Amino acid sequence: MIPFDVLAGFFSVTILLALAPGPDNIFVLTQSAVSGRSAGVVVTLGLCTGLIFHTLAVALGVTAIFQASELAFTLVKALGVGYLLYLAWGAFRAKPQPIAPGAAEKASLMPLYRRGVIMNITNPKVGIFFLSFLPQFIDPARGALLPQFVQLGAVFILSTLLVFGGVALAAGVIGERLNQSVMAQTVMNRIASVVFIGMALKLAATTR
């Protein structure tokens, strides 16, 4: 088991990392503003599910393949870029639909959850970040490594839930007001499309 002081230090670092502007929290903010608070929270849960995958992948040594293989890294990156561009096209084509408060939050939450999962899993940068970051807090002298990785992954997910959940709730308040206007909804969809394209370009430019 990892000592409490080590976990507390790790938690502090992960909170700062989650607060730093990046594609994931921008993604949550955009979805919350466009579709409501529940949408942002569900996307956050999807992203956190992806973090479970990366945690186990690092613990089992699978992610090392992406660090060693340029082909594997490129293939996963290409999938992520393609998916982001698909989301950008969907957001651009989306028709504005004035809604009552909470209506967007009740619609199509499962696709949003899947969107968060796919976005996180298909970002090889996350896996390599975990591969380089988590082992710094692992000590073989404490015993089995897998439980330690699971502990760190759980703390990282908690940090992400707290920060991204806060972003979703704050953006959702603004989004509920914007969604009452057809023009504002159109603008938000266009902004979402641009954000997705920017994220795709950023992911495409990443290297191992």
XYZ file of all heavy atoms in Angstrom, residues 6-104:
711
model
N 2.394 10.124 0.539
C 2.730 10.008 -0.878
C 1.472 10.212 -1.739
O 1.500 10.929 -2.748
C 3.357 8.635 -1.186
C 3.609 8.477 -2.686
C 4.662 8.472 -0.414
N 0.365 9.601 -1.309
C -0.885 9.768 -2.042
C -1.352 11.229 -2.014
O -1.870 11.746 -3.008
C -1.974 8.872 -1.445
C -1.860 7.374 -1.715
C -2.971 6.619 -1.002
C -1.912 7.084 -3.216
N -1.158 11.897 -0.862
C -1.557 13.297 -0.754
C -0.739 14.171 -1.709
O -1.273 15.074 -2.364
C -1.394 13.786 0.685
N 0.556 13.900 -1.780
C 1.406 14.644 -2.714
C 1.007 14.392 -4.152
O 0.948 15.310 -4.978
N 0.717 13.132 -4.458
C 0.289 12.758 -5.807
C -1.032 13.445 -6.146
O -1.215 13.948 -7.259
C 0.137 11.235 -5.880
C -0.314 10.728 -7.220
C 0.589 10.596 -8.263
C -1.636 10.363 -7.432
C 0.167 10.122 -9.512
C -2.060 9.883 -8.661
C -1.148 9.760 -9.696
N -1.942 13.492 -5.182
C -3.243 14.131 -5.390
C -3.072 15.616 -5.699
O -3.728 16.159 -6.604
C -4.111 13.946 -4.136
C -5.459 14.601 -4.217
C -6.458 14.065 -5.010
C -5.725 15.748 -3.491
C -7.704 14.670 -5.090
C -6.965 16.357 -3.560
C -7.961 15.816 -4.360
N -2.178 16.282 -4.977
C -1.940 17.714 -5.204
C -1.423 17.961 -6.619
O -1.866 18.893 -7.305
C -0.935 18.256 -4.181
O -1.408 18.078 -2.864
N -0.500 17.109 -7.042
C 0.063 17.260 -8.386
C -1.010 17.024 -9.454
O -1.100 17.774 -10.435
C 1.234 16.277 -8.595
C 1.703 16.301 -10.048
C 2.390 16.637 -7.672
N -1.839 16.011 -9.258
C -2.849 15.696 -10.269
C -3.935 16.772 -10.348
O -4.488 17.016 -11.425
C -3.500 14.323 -9.996
O -4.028 14.295 -8.659
C -2.483 13.208 -10.149
N -4.241 17.411 -9.220
C -5.195 18.522 -9.241
C -4.655 19.649 -10.116
O -5.368 20.231 -10.943
C -5.473 19.049 -7.816
C -6.367 18.067 -7.046
C -6.131 20.429 -7.870
C -7.804 18.023 -7.524
N -3.377 19.966 -9.944
C -2.754 21.022 -10.756
C -2.743 20.639 -12.232
O -2.991 21.478 -13.101
C -1.328 21.282 -10.269
C -1.198 21.886 -8.863
C 0.271 21.994 -8.470
C -1.865 23.254 -8.818
N -2.464 19.369 -12.506
C -2.458 18.907 -13.892
C -3.848 19.011 -14.514
O -3.999 19.392 -15.680
C -1.966 17.463 -13.967
C -0.479 17.235 -13.678
C -0.174 15.737 -13.593
C 0.377 17.884 -14.752
N -4.869 18.663 -13.742
C -6.240 18.721 -14.254
C -6.683 20.157 -14.498
O -7.471 20.429 -15.416
C -7.191 18.035 -13.276
N -6.167 21.092 -13.682
C -6.526 22.497 -13.835
C -5.843 23.147 -15.030
O -6.332 24.143 -15.572
C -6.161 23.274 -12.563
C -7.055 23.030 -11.340
C -6.431 23.673 -10.102
C -8.453 23.587 -11.573
N -4.705 22.594 -15.434
C -3.971 23.172 -16.568
C -4.814 23.054 -17.840
O -5.375 21.995 -18.116
C -2.641 22.451 -16.754
N -4.934 24.146 -18.624
C -5.730 24.092 -19.854
C -5.228 22.991 -20.786
O -4.034 22.859 -21.029
C -5.497 25.481 -20.475
C -5.127 26.348 -19.322
C -4.332 25.459 -18.390
N -6.134 22.195 -21.259
C -5.779 21.090 -22.152
C -6.977 20.627 -22.939
O -8.105 21.104 -22.719
N -6.797 19.699 -23.871
C -7.905 19.272 -24.728
C -9.067 18.645 -23.967
O -10.228 18.833 -24.343
C -7.251 18.266 -25.678
C -5.987 17.842 -25.003
C -5.538 19.030 -24.227
N -8.772 17.915 -22.897
C -9.858 17.228 -22.189
C -10.777 18.202 -21.459
O -12.005 18.107 -21.562
C -9.277 16.206 -21.199
C -8.779 14.956 -21.901
O -9.080 14.796 -23.097
O -8.082 14.147 -21.264
N -10.200 19.135 -20.671
C -11.089 20.045 -19.949
C -11.769 21.047 -20.883
O -12.889 21.489 -20.620
C -10.378 20.757 -18.787
C -9.036 21.327 -19.162
O -8.795 21.629 -20.325
N -8.168 21.482 -18.177
N -11.119 21.384 -22.010
C -11.775 22.230 -23.004
C -12.937 21.465 -23.637
O -14.013 22.029 -23.894
C -10.771 22.672 -24.086
C -9.744 23.635 -23.476
C -11.494 23.348 -25.251
C -8.642 24.037 -24.420
N -12.733 20.182 -23.874
C -13.780 19.328 -24.425
C -14.981 19.283 -23.483
O -16.136 19.424 -23.903
C -13.205 17.938 -24.644
C -14.187 16.940 -25.189
C -14.783 17.127 -26.413
C -14.491 15.790 -24.474
C -15.675 16.193 -26.927
C -15.377 14.856 -24.968
C -15.968 15.060 -26.201
N -14.717 19.102 -22.197
C -15.798 19.064 -21.199
C -16.526 20.399 -21.151
O -17.766 20.453 -21.119
C -15.232 18.710 -19.806
C -16.299 18.896 -18.730
C -14.729 17.274 -19.787
N -15.773 21.490 -21.146
C -16.373 22.818 -21.089
C -17.285 23.061 -22.288
O -18.406 23.548 -22.145
C -15.267 23.872 -21.028
C -15.695 25.323 -20.782
C -14.593 26.082 -20.055
C -16.020 26.037 -22.082
N -16.794 22.705 -23.476
C -17.570 22.926 -24.694
C -18.856 22.113 -24.686
O -19.939 22.627 -24.991
C -16.737 22.561 -25.937
O -15.529 23.315 -25.933
C -17.508 22.853 -27.205
N -18.757 20.827 -24.331
C -19.944 19.978 -24.322
C -20.953 20.445 -23.276
O -22.164 20.383 -23.501
C -19.541 18.527 -24.042
C -18.810 17.864 -25.190
C -19.628 17.837 -26.465
O -20.777 17.401 -26.475
N -19.054 18.328 -27.544
N -20.465 20.916 -22.140
C -21.363 21.398 -21.091
C -22.112 22.642 -21.553
O -23.316 22.780 -21.315
C -20.563 21.731 -19.820
O -19.898 20.598 -19.337
N -21.389 23.565 -22.200
C -22.017 24.800 -22.665
C -23.026 24.530 -23.762
O -24.065 25.187 -23.847
C -20.950 25.778 -23.152
N -22.745 23.554 -24.612
C -23.629 23.247 -25.735
C -24.832 22.416 -25.294
O -25.969 22.674 -25.706
C -22.862 22.498 -26.847
C -23.812 21.973 -27.915
C -21.832 23.421 -27.486
N -24.610 21.419 -24.447
C -25.666 20.434 -24.155
C -26.096 20.369 -22.698
O -26.931 19.537 -22.354
C -25.198 19.037 -24.592
O -24.884 19.031 -25.969
N -25.536 21.199 -21.835
C -25.973 21.205 -20.449
C -25.019 20.507 -19.502
O -24.093 19.810 -19.905
N -25.267 20.717 -18.206
C -24.356 20.207 -17.174
C -24.240 18.693 -17.178
O -23.152 18.146 -17.043
C -24.829 20.685 -15.792
C -24.600 22.159 -15.558
C -25.208 22.617 -14.261
N -26.669 22.451 -14.257
C -27.502 23.209 -13.570
N -27.036 24.178 -12.829
N -28.793 23.006 -13.602
N -25.363 18.000 -17.337
C -25.318 16.531 -17.320
C -24.443 15.998 -18.445
O -23.732 15.005 -18.279
C -26.723 15.944 -17.440
O -27.469 16.196 -16.272
N -24.497 16.669 -19.603
C -23.665 16.250 -20.727
C -22.193 16.346 -20.362
O -21.408 15.434 -20.630
C -23.958 17.117 -21.957
N -21.802 17.454 -19.734
C -20.409 17.612 -19.323
C -19.986 16.600 -18.288
O -18.873 16.068 -18.337
N -20.873 16.305 -17.346
C -20.561 15.316 -16.311
C -20.415 13.929 -16.920
O -19.504 13.170 -16.573
C -21.657 15.308 -15.222
C -21.451 14.134 -14.266
C -21.655 16.625 -14.450
N -21.314 13.595 -17.871
C -21.243 12.282 -18.519
C -19.970 12.154 -19.348
O -19.319 11.099 -19.352
C -22.492 12.043 -19.395
C -22.300 10.826 -20.287
C -23.721 11.847 -18.514
N -19.593 13.219 -20.054
C -18.328 13.208 -20.795
C -17.162 13.003 -19.843
O -16.222 12.248 -20.127
C -18.148 14.518 -21.590
C -16.728 14.612 -22.136
C -19.137 14.577 -22.745
N -17.216 13.665 -18.694
C -16.172 13.502 -17.679
C -16.073 12.052 -17.223
O -14.978 11.503 -17.075
C -16.453 14.407 -16.462
O -16.408 15.780 -16.877
C -15.429 14.190 -15.358
N -17.225 11.422 -17.006
C -17.228 10.009 -16.610
C -16.623 9.136 -17.708
O -15.902 8.173 -17.424
C -18.652 9.553 -16.304
C -19.311 10.178 -15.068
C -20.760 9.723 -14.946
C -18.533 9.815 -13.806
N -16.903 9.493 -18.968
C -16.306 8.746 -20.071
C -14.798 8.895 -20.104
O -14.061 7.912 -20.282
N -14.326 10.119 -19.917
C -12.881 10.356 -19.878
C -12.233 9.585 -18.738
O -11.140 9.020 -18.884
C -12.606 11.858 -19.723
C -12.964 12.737 -20.926
C -12.896 14.213 -20.537
C -12.034 12.466 -22.096
N -12.900 9.552 -17.593
C -12.358 8.822 -16.438
C -12.340 7.321 -16.685
O -11.448 6.619 -16.203
C -13.174 9.146 -15.182
S -12.905 10.829 -14.565
N -13.321 6.822 -17.414
C -13.300 5.407 -17.784
C -12.081 5.105 -18.639
O -11.432 4.064 -18.490
C -14.586 5.030 -18.542
O -15.727 5.302 -17.724
C -14.580 3.548 -18.916
N -11.758 6.033 -19.537
C -10.546 5.880 -20.329
C -9.298 5.864 -19.469
O -8.337 5.135 -19.752
N -9.318 6.635 -18.391
C -8.170 6.647 -17.469
C -7.996 5.297 -16.788
O -6.869 4.891 -16.476
C -8.342 7.750 -16.414
C -8.289 9.187 -16.931
C -8.536 10.163 -15.787
C -6.942 9.476 -17.592
N -9.101 4.596 -16.540
C -9.009 3.247 -15.974
C -8.245 2.349 -16.944
O -7.368 1.571 -16.541
C -10.414 2.672 -15.705
C -11.110 3.475 -14.604
C -10.322 1.196 -15.298
C -12.556 3.061 -14.371
N -8.577 2.473 -18.222
C -7.888 1.692 -19.250
C -6.390 1.989 -19.245
O -5.556 1.077 -19.265
C -8.487 2.018 -20.624
C -7.672 1.505 -21.782
C -7.794 0.189 -22.202
C -6.772 2.332 -22.445
C -7.037 -0.296 -23.270
C -6.021 1.873 -23.513
C -6.154 0.554 -23.919
N -6.033 3.274 -19.217
C -4.614 3.644 -19.258
C -3.881 3.194 -17.999
O -2.717 2.791 -18.069
C -4.483 5.153 -19.436
C -4.806 5.628 -20.815
N -4.071 5.254 -21.923
C -5.802 6.436 -21.275
C -4.585 5.823 -23.003
N -5.630 6.532 -22.639
N -4.556 3.269 -16.858
C -3.935 2.821 -15.609
C -3.591 1.339 -15.677
O -2.471 0.926 -15.350
C -4.875 3.075 -14.415
O -5.134 4.473 -14.303
C -4.238 2.584 -13.116
N -4.560 0.534 -16.105
C -4.325 -0.903 -16.200
C -3.301 -1.220 -17.287
O -2.481 -2.138 -17.130
C -5.644 -1.626 -16.501
C -6.697 -1.560 -15.380
C -7.986 -2.245 -15.819
C -6.161 -2.196 -14.109
N -3.333 -0.446 -18.382
C -2.380 -0.678 -19.458
C -0.953 -0.448 -18.970
O -0.046 -1.235 -19.263
C -2.687 0.230 -20.645
N -0.744 0.625 -18.218
C 0.590 0.907 -17.674
C 0.979 -0.177 -16.681
O 2.109 -0.675 -16.687
C 0.621 2.291 -17.011
C 1.914 2.489 -16.231
C 0.496 3.385 -18.061
N 0.031 -0.542 -15.818
C 0.328 -1.550 -14.801
C 0.714 -2.881 -15.428
O 1.563 -3.607 -14.912
C -0.877 -1.730 -13.881
N 0.106 -3.213 -16.532
C 0.370 -4.488 -17.194
C 1.460 -4.396 -18.261
O 1.795 -5.384 -18.904
C -0.921 -5.030 -17.818
C -2.061 -5.305 -16.825
C -3.325 -5.699 -17.571
C -1.656 -6.381 -15.834
N 1.982 -3.200 -18.449
C 3.095 -3.025 -19.377
C 2.716 -2.887 -20.830
O 3.575 -2.810 -21.702
N 1.396 -2.794 -21.120
C 0.969 -2.719 -22.510
C 1.373 -1.398 -23.151
O 1.780 -1.350 -24.320
C -0.564 -2.901 -22.614
C -1.041 -2.686 -24.037
C -0.955 -4.291 -22.121
N 1.279 -0.314 -22.383
C 1.562 1.001 -22.942
C 3.001 1.119 -23.409
O 3.321 1.943 -24.267
C 1.266 2.098 -21.896
O -0.063 1.921 -21.414
C 1.372 3.483 -22.526
N 3.880 0.300 -22.866
C 5.285 0.334 -23.286
C 5.423 0.054 -24.777
O 6.373 0.510 -25.422
C 6.086 -0.689 -22.486
N 4.453 -0.667 -25.329
C 4.474 -0.962 -26.763
C 4.409 0.331 -27.566
O 5.119 0.516 -28.552
C 3.299 -1.878 -27.151
C 3.432 -3.234 -26.445
C 3.215 -2.058 -28.665
C 2.247 -4.145 -26.660
N 3.552 1.262 -27.117
C 3.401 2.519 -27.836
C 4.662 3.367 -27.748
O 4.972 4.131 -28.648
C 2.199 3.301 -27.303
C 0.892 2.621 -27.558
C 0.091 2.224 -26.516
C 0.475 2.357 -28.850
C -1.112 1.595 -26.743
C -0.727 1.722 -29.094
C -1.530 1.343 -28.042
N 5.384 3.239 -26.629
C 6.611 3.998 -26.487
C 7.709 3.405 -27.366
O 8.565 4.125 -27.871
C 7.062 4.008 -25.019
C 8.203 4.978 -24.752
C 8.542 5.049 -23.276
O 8.647 4.016 -22.612
N 8.720 6.242 -22.765
N 7.670 2.097 -27.562
C 8.717 1.431 -28.335
C 8.399 1.364 -29.817
O 9.299 1.299 -30.645
C 8.938 0.016 -27.790
N 7.107 1.383 -30.173
C 6.714 1.184 -31.562
C 6.129 2.459 -32.163
O 5.065 2.932 -31.734
C 5.683 0.046 -31.660
O 5.137 -0.013 -32.959
N 6.783 2.995 -33.144
C 6.286 4.176 -33.857
C 4.993 3.847 -34.595
O 4.061 4.656 -34.654
C 7.337 4.662 -34.852
C 6.921 5.881 -35.656
C 6.858 7.129 -34.810
O 7.627 7.239 -33.837
O 6.026 8.006 -35.124
N 4.903 2.634 -35.153
C 3.712 2.233 -35.892
C 2.483 2.180 -34.998
O 1.422 2.700 -35.343
C 3.936 0.867 -36.550
C 2.733 0.285 -37.310
C 2.309 1.229 -38.440
C 3.058 -1.108 -37.844
N 2.631 1.547 -33.812
C 1.500 1.442 -32.889
C 1.043 2.824 -32.444
O -0.158 3.116 -32.386
C 1.901 0.595 -31.679
N 2.005 3.685 -32.127
C 1.682 5.046 -31.699
C 0.928 5.780 -32.807
O -0.093 6.439 -32.568
C 2.973 5.797 -31.347
C 2.757 7.201 -30.870
C 2.566 7.480 -29.523
C 2.752 8.261 -31.764
C 2.366 8.781 -29.087
C 2.552 9.562 -31.336
C 2.359 9.818 -29.999
N 1.416 5.664 -34.032
C 0.815 6.366 -35.168
C -0.597 5.866 -35.457
O -1.505 6.661 -35.750
C 1.686 6.194 -36.418
O 3.003 6.707 -36.155
C 1.087 6.949 -37.601
N -0.808 4.564 -35.361
C -2.129 4.003 -35.632
C -3.166 4.494 -34.627
O -4.267 4.913 -35.001
C -2.064 2.469 -35.615
C -1.381 1.806 -36.815
C -1.288 0.299 -36.602
C -2.121 2.120 -38.111
N -2.805 4.454 -33.344
C -3.743 4.910 -32.319
C -3.993 6.407 -32.458
O -5.127 6.890 -32.316
C -3.204 4.582 -30.911
C -4.120 5.162 -29.846
C -3.092 3.072 -30.735
N -2.935 7.159 -32.757
C -3.077 8.599 -32.944
C -3.997 8.902 -34.125
O -4.842 9.801 -34.059
C -1.706 9.244 -33.154
C -1.764 10.758 -33.248
C -0.374 11.365 -33.248
C 0.348 11.094 -34.550
N 1.615 11.870 -34.635
N -3.850 8.144 -35.215
C -4.687 8.349 -36.394
C -6.158 8.104 -36.082
O -7.046 8.831 -36.551
C -4.230 7.429 -37.531
N -6.427 7.082 -35.263
C -7.807 6.815 -34.852
C -8.373 7.997 -34.067
O -9.516 8.411 -34.277
C -7.863 5.543 -33.998
C -7.659 4.217 -34.733
C -7.585 3.069 -33.725
C -8.778 3.971 -35.731
N -7.574 8.529 -33.152
C -8.013 9.671 -32.356
C -8.281 10.895 -33.210
O -9.294 11.590 -33.034
N -7.378 11.184 -34.150
C -7.550 12.336 -35.035
C -8.807 12.176 -35.887
O -9.607 13.115 -36.036
C -6.312 12.523 -35.944
C -6.585 13.563 -37.025
C -5.101 12.935 -35.113
N -8.995 10.983 -36.450
C -10.171 10.728 -37.267
C -11.461 10.911 -36.484
O -12.431 11.496 -36.988
N -11.472 10.442 -35.238
C -12.679 10.564 -34.415
C -12.976 12.021 -34.092
O -14.130 12.456 -34.126
C -12.515 9.744 -33.134
C -13.765 9.684 -32.305
C -14.887 8.995 -32.761
C -13.835 10.318 -31.069
C -16.049 8.936 -32.005
C -14.990 10.260 -30.307
C -16.090 9.570 -30.780
O -17.240 9.522 -30.041
N -11.942 12.809 -33.791
C -12.137 14.224 -33.485
C -12.674 14.984 -34.703
O -13.532 15.864 -34.565
C -10.822 14.840 -33.007
C -10.384 14.441 -31.593
C -8.960 14.907 -31.325
C -11.331 15.015 -30.555
N -12.165 14.663 -35.875
C -12.655 15.311 -37.089
C -14.110 14.921 -37.370
O -14.900 15.742 -37.847
C -11.764 14.939 -38.280
C -10.342 15.520 -38.240
C -9.531 15.012 -39.428
C -10.378 17.048 -38.214
N -14.445 13.676 -37.055
C -15.837 13.233 -37.189
C -16.743 14.040 -36.258
O -17.838 14.477 -36.644
C -15.922 11.740 -36.864
C -17.314 11.221 -36.625
C -18.188 10.995 -37.695
C -17.769 10.968 -35.331
C -19.476 10.528 -37.474
C -19.047 10.502 -35.104
C -19.899 10.278 -36.171
O -21.170 9.824 -35.955
N -16.305 14.281 -35.027
C -17.077 15.082 -34.080
C -17.197 16.525 -34.566
O -18.243 17.165 -34.398
C -16.419 15.045 -32.697
C -16.369 13.686 -31.993
C -15.670 13.822 -30.650
C -17.773 13.122 -31.807
N -16.108 17.057 -35.149
C -16.115 18.433 -35.664
C -17.165 18.584 -36.765
O -17.916 19.565 -36.806
C -14.732 18.808 -36.188
N -17.216 17.611 -37.682
C -18.193 17.653 -38.765
C -19.619 17.565 -38.230
O -20.515 18.281 -38.678
C -17.913 16.515 -39.740
C -18.888 16.404 -40.882
C -19.715 15.363 -41.148
C -19.131 17.377 -41.905
N -20.462 15.614 -42.278
C -20.118 16.849 -42.768
C -18.597 18.642 -42.175
C -20.600 17.548 -43.869
C -19.078 19.338 -43.283
C -20.055 18.783 -44.112
N -19.819 16.699 -37.233
C -21.147 16.571 -36.635
C -21.586 17.852 -35.953
O -22.747 18.266 -36.061
N -20.657 18.511 -35.235
C -20.992 19.763 -34.552
C -21.288 20.870 -35.559
O -22.194 21.684 -35.368
C -19.845 20.178 -33.632
N -20.536 20.894 -36.661
C -20.736 21.924 -37.686
C -22.098 21.783 -38.352
O -22.757 22.774 -38.679
C -19.620 21.836 -38.742
C -19.706 22.892 -39.800
C -19.243 24.180 -39.557
C -20.261 22.603 -41.044
C -19.335 25.162 -40.536
C -20.355 23.573 -42.027
C -19.889 24.861 -41.772
N -22.522 20.551 -38.552
C -23.794 20.291 -39.237
C -24.998 20.355 -38.300
O -26.146 20.364 -38.763
C -23.769 18.915 -39.896
C -22.765 18.780 -41.032
C -22.865 17.386 -41.640
N -24.207 17.129 -42.161
C -24.678 15.920 -42.442
N -23.935 14.860 -42.217
N -25.895 15.770 -42.929
N -24.752 20.381 -36.991
C -25.848 20.343 -36.024
C -26.789 21.532 -36.215
O -26.349 22.672 -36.370
C -25.285 20.330 -34.605
N -28.089 21.255 -36.228
C -29.088 22.306 -36.384
C -29.510 22.831 -35.009
O -29.738 22.044 -34.082
C -30.309 21.758 -37.127
C -30.004 21.323 -38.554
C -31.249 20.798 -39.232
C -30.943 20.364 -40.670
N -32.147 19.832 -41.357
N -29.608 24.135 -34.873
C -30.030 24.708 -33.588
C -31.458 24.317 -33.256
O -32.340 24.331 -34.121
C -29.904 26.218 -33.817
C -30.003 26.386 -35.295
C -29.366 25.165 -35.888
N -31.670 23.936 -32.012
C -32.998 23.546 -31.557
C -33.231 24.155 -30.182
O -32.703 23.653 -29.182
C -33.135 22.025 -31.478
C -33.003 21.329 -32.820
C -33.111 19.828 -32.688
O -32.981 19.273 -31.596
N -33.355 19.161 -33.793
N -34.000 25.226 -30.106
C -34.300 25.814 -28.807
C -34.900 24.765 -27.885
O -35.786 24.010 -28.291
C -35.325 26.905 -29.146
C -35.028 27.245 -30.573
C -34.633 25.932 -31.216
N -34.416 24.713 -26.665
C -34.851 23.660 -25.749
C -35.245 24.236 -24.411
O -34.833 25.323 -24.029
C -33.729 22.628 -25.527
C -32.457 23.330 -25.074
C -33.464 21.840 -26.793
C -31.324 22.403 -24.741
N -36.038 23.493 -23.700
C -36.385 23.879 -22.341
C -35.254 23.479 -21.424
O -34.496 22.569 -21.728
C -37.684 23.171 -21.918
N -35.099 24.153 -20.265
C -34.022 23.801 -19.345
C -34.048 22.331 -18.992
O -35.088 21.784 -18.644
C -34.325 24.677 -18.113
C -35.083 25.844 -18.673
C -35.919 25.277 -19.796
N -32.900 21.688 -19.132
C -32.767 20.286 -18.756
C -33.046 19.316 -19.878
O -32.749 18.145 -19.770
N -33.627 19.799 -20.989
C -33.962 18.873 -22.072
C -32.725 18.266 -22.685
O -32.670 17.072 -22.974
C -34.773 19.594 -23.144
N -31.710 19.099 -22.901
C -30.485 18.578 -23.499
C -29.812 17.593 -22.577
O -29.121 16.679 -23.017
C -29.518 19.734 -23.815
